[in-house]
Amino acid sequence: WRVSERQWELTQPDDPGYRRAAIEVITAWLRYQELTDPEPGVFVLVADEDHSFVAVGGGVKAALDYDPADLLGRRVEDIAAPELAGSVHGAWQRFLEDGRQDGEFRLMSRDGRSVELRFQARAHHPIPGFHTSRLWPADRDRPD
């Protein structure tokens, strides 16, 4: 992922390829994280400023029965439990202001089940303008 990061660093923010280079860094970083620190039941979602997923960890298959590629381009609101979808915008604004958010949230699985999850979210991580959430089943202790 460091190679992708170096290429991204050489790309100017006004370059049309900047976003693509940023997403390549994030995707490579996520692969590295999953290889070096695999945690059963934990998955990662990385979203942009519009709440759209740009990278999704493989653990989402076990947790929600989605293939990671199925969620790319979808928004947090698209998979939030229906009763929570309307609160996403406000919570997102507070998250960006605070820079972090930890708590519980319900997402919908591919087959329509509501899944209670715990999460740790960090704004502008791993790179500015993109935001990472680690999620795991609510009935498990927090991963290290």
Side-chain angles (χ1 to χ4, degrees):
W1 74 275
R2 293 290 187 194
V3 171
S4 296
E5 185 178 47
R6 286 186 197 100
Q7 291 174 337
W8 167 73
E9 289 172 341
L10 296 174
T11 308
Q12 297 300 313
D14 60 348
D15 184 311
Y18 182 82
R19 179 178 168 82
R20 181 177 30 80
I23 292 171
E24 287 176 16
V25 170
I26 293 164
T27 302
W29 171 82
L30 183 53
R31 276 193 310 265
Y32 174 79
Q33 295 298 311
E34 290 181 328
L35 289 172
T36 60
D37 192 19
E39 296 181 71
V42 176
F43 65 100
V44 174
L45 300 171
V46 182
D48 63 13
E49 296 290 338
D50 294 323
H51 319 168
S52 296
F53 300 121
V54 299
V56 178
V60 75
K61 182 70 174 171
L64 301 175
D65 198 31
Y66 286 104
D67 289 321
D70 293 340
L71 294 179
L72 295 177
R74 294 187 65 187
R75 299 180 69 186
V76 176
E77 298 90 325
D78 296 337
I79 64 168
E83 67 275 10
L84 299 175
S87 66
V88 169
H89 182 74
W92 188 267
Q93 293 308 313
R94 287 188 300 281
F95 163 57
L96 292 180
E97 290 168 10
D98 294 343
R100 67 181 292 157
Q101 203 172 65
D102 297 7
E104 292 191 9
F105 200 73
R106 282 187 311 284
L107 295 176
M108 302 304 291
S109 69
R110 180 181 208 106
D111 66 5
R113 288 177 298 113
S114 179
V115 179
E116 187 77 25
L117 299 161
R118 292 185 184 171
F119 71 91
Q120 297 174 323
R122 301 300 176 259
H124 303 288
H125 181 77
I127 60 176
F130 297 91
H131 318 289
T132 300
S133 296
R134 288 178 66 215
L135 301 101
W136 63 94
D139 61 355
R140 281 194 42 208
D141 289 333
R142 182 178 141 184
D144 295 327

